[in-house]
Every structure is written in C-alpha cells, then in structure tokens.
C-alpha cells in the first residue's frame, strides 16, 4: 500500500475520527497514526498480519473502539491499559494467551471479544471492570472457570467451544450475569453448579453439546426457578 493511499486514509480519519484499514496485509501498527492521537475515536485494523501492537496505542487517549480481529497478535502491550475511554475492544482470531496485568484499568470497557485465541483460563483482570456488558471468550482453550468469576460484572458471558469441565459455584454470584453460554464444552451434568439454576440472575443458560442430554437438565433441582426467570425475560423482549 502506497504512502499516498495511507495519506488519504489519514486525512479522512482526521475529519471523521475513524481510521479503518482492513485486509491490506499490514504487518505493523501504522506509525503515522500518532499524528491523530487526539482525533481518533475508532481504529479498525482487522484482517491484517500485525504481530505486535505498538506501545504508541497508549497515546490515543480519546479512543472508544479498537478492532484488531484476525491478525497475528501473541501479546498486548501494557500501554493499551491507559485507554480510559475505550468502550469496545475486538481481538477475535489472534494468538493471545493472556491479557496485560493492568487490563483492569480499562475502566470504561463495555464490550470485549476474544473469540478464537489461545486463552487457557478466564482472565482475572476482567473482574475489576465495572461497566462490562458482554464478554466473548468462545473458541479458546479454557478448561475451568475459577472462583474469581463471581466478581465479574458482565451481563453476558460467552464460553462456547472451549474445553470446560469445571465451573466454580461462584458464577451464581455474578451480580449482573443474565446470559451464560457454555455450548460445546466437556461438562458432565454433575459439574454444572445447581445454584446457577436455583440461585442466580441467569435467565438464559445455553449448554447444548456437552456430555449430558439437555432433558436431564430439566430434572435438576432449581430448574423451575430458572424457567421462571427465562420466561419473564422472554416476555420483556417480546
């Protein structure tokens, strides 16, 4: 991609606050973007070949949305955690194994997508994020859901297509969790905490494709309570 094309993109971005450059084979974060640190609200560099996200990202203090789907990222710089206005972060289809230690400082974050990475656990850093609505951790290598999950503030947690065989009973204590997706994992029915049914806020539990028949779920104690929440929520959205 020539300099003139990049220049045109930069000029547009300066006016709109949006820099979008997808599917252009970029191998690194465009250095020239730093001229726009105070303009940009959205950066989308999906479907490129970026292996390292430049520490420069920390300078975009007005950034609200960062989309880096389908790149080759193996790690994220700590500087990313300085983005106090960031609300949306999409990192699907990369090679991430963990999040930066200071990730919990992204205090405005509402939507986080990490589908199709190499995470082995639910990152504890997510529990400090007070405005989180949706967390997508589907298609990773997560094997268990730890006790810390009880602090998670998300409304929807997607753990489809992992290798989960154990879930902490603390998940029933999530204060805002309404939707829990656990499809296509390695769960035995005995490993599904019954408190999810009897004593949680969860009104949509998706567990198809595990090591038990769905009809067995209906025999569990607390299923009636779960169905009450499920039906009440359905009516609300109907």
């Amino acid at each position: 991609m020539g300099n003139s094309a990049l220049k045109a993109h930069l000029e547009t971005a300066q006016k709109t606050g949006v820099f979008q450059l997808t599917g252009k084979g970029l191998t690194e974060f465009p250095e020239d973007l730093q001229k726009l640190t105070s303009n940009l609200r959205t950066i989308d560099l999906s479907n490129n070949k970026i292996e390292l996200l430049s520490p420069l990202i920390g300078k975009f203090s007005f950034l609200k949305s960062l989309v880096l789907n389908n790149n080759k990222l193996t790690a994220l710089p700590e500087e990313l955690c300085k983005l106090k206005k960031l609300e949306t972060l999409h990192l699907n289809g990369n090679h991430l194994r963990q999040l930066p230690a200071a990730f919990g400082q992204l205090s405005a974050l509402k939507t986080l997508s990490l589908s199709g990475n190499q995470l082995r656990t639910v990152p504890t850093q997510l529990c400090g994020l007070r405005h989180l609505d949706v967390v997508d951790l589907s298609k990773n290598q997560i094997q268990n859901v730890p006790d810390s999950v009880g602090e998670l503030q998300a409304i929807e947690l997607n753990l489809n297509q992992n290798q989960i065989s154990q879930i902490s009973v603390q998940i029933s204590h999530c204060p805002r969790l309404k939707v829990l997706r656990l499809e296509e994992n390695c769960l035995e029915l005995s490993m599904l905490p019954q408190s999810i049914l009897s004593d949680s806020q969860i009104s949509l539990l998706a567990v198809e494709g595990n090591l038990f028949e769905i009809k067995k779920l209906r025999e569990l104690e607390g299923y009636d309570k779960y169905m009450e929440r499920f039906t009440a929520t359905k009516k609300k959205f109907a």
Side-chain angles (χ1 to χ4, degrees):
M1 182 165 148
N3 276 346
S4 57
L6 182 61
K7 200 169 166 217
H9 274 279
L10 288 169
E11 281 171 11
T12 307
Q14 193 164 3
K15 295 183 190 114
T16 61
V18 177
F19 184 82
Q20 187 176 33
L21 198 55
T22 57
K24 297 289 186 216
L26 292 182
T27 52
E28 53 189 35
F29 187 81
E31 298 270 317
D32 286 345
L33 275 187
Q34 60 184 317
K35 296 171 188 163
L36 300 177
T37 48
S38 57
N39 299 67
L40 290 184
R41 304 292 185 270
T42 299
I43 296 177
D44 183 354
L45 297 168
S46 296
N47 303 312
N48 282 295
K49 297 175 180 171
I50 299 168
E51 290 180 26
L52 286 173
L53 181 57
S54 165
L56 286 174
I57 193 67
K59 295 186 172 165
F60 292 86
S61 46
F62 297 98
L63 201 62
K64 284 193 161 182
S65 175
L66 178 59
V67 185
L68 291 161
N69 294 333
N70 304 319
N71 276 282
K72 296 181 181 254
L73 297 168
T74 53
L76 300 168
E78 288 289 340
E79 285 80 2
L80 174 71
C81 307
K82 292 179 181 169
L83 301 178
K84 295 288 184 248
K85 290 192 166 29
L86 194 68
E87 294 178 5
T88 306
L89 180 57
H90 289 290
L91 295 160
N92 301 327
N94 280 284
H95 307 296
L96 298 168
R97 290 170 185 269
Q98 58 193 45
L99 298 179
F103 197 84
Q105 291 174 13
L106 291 171
S107 50
L109 202 60
K110 290 180 180 173
T111 304
L112 174 63
S113 292
L114 286 159
S115 181
N117 279 280
Q118 293 169 20
L119 298 172
R120 291 179 176 269
T121 183
V122 176
T124 51
Q125 296 95 313
L126 302 186
C127 298
L129 297 168
R130 294 279 162 250
H131 299 288
L132 212 49
D133 289 334
V134 179
V135 181
D136 185 353
L137 300 173
S138 60
K139 301 181 186 173
N140 276 278
Q141 296 161 17
I142 298 170
Q143 293 175 4
N144 66 349
V145 180
D147 286 348
S148 58
V149 76
E151 308 276 317
L152 191 69
Q153 299 289 322
I155 296 169
E156 175 168 345
L157 176 59
N158 185 342
L159 292 164
N160 289 346
Q161 293 178 292
N162 277 284
Q163 298 154 21
I164 296 168
S165 59
Q166 282 184 308
I167 300 179
S168 166
V169 67
Q170 297 296 328
I171 200 160
S172 345
H173 298 169
C174 291
R176 299 167 68 216
L177 192 62
K178 298 274 197 290
V179 178
L180 177 58
R181 301 186 187 279
L182 288 163
E183 294 180 8
E184 294 179 49
N185 276 285
C186 310
L187 281 167
E188 302 272 0
L189 190 59
S190 58
M191 286 296 169
L192 191 72
Q194 291 202 7
S195 55
I196 290 178
L197 299 171
S198 59
D199 193 24
S200 78
Q201 303 286 321
I202 294 166
S203 54
L204 177 63
L205 176 64
V207 286
E208 285 78 7
N210 278 282
L211 307 180
F212 58 87
E213 293 176 46
I214 290 297
K215 64 174 190 239
K216 296 278 188 209
L217 184 68
R218 298 179 195 134
E219 294 162 15
L220 288 185
E221 204 176 324
Y223 188 77
D224 298 349
K225 276 190 170 173
Y226 161 68
M227 279 315 290
E228 281 171 24
R229 296 192 304 273
F230 177 82
T231 312
T233 309
K234 275 218 138 144
K235 280 188 186 135
K236 207 160 68 179
F237 292 117

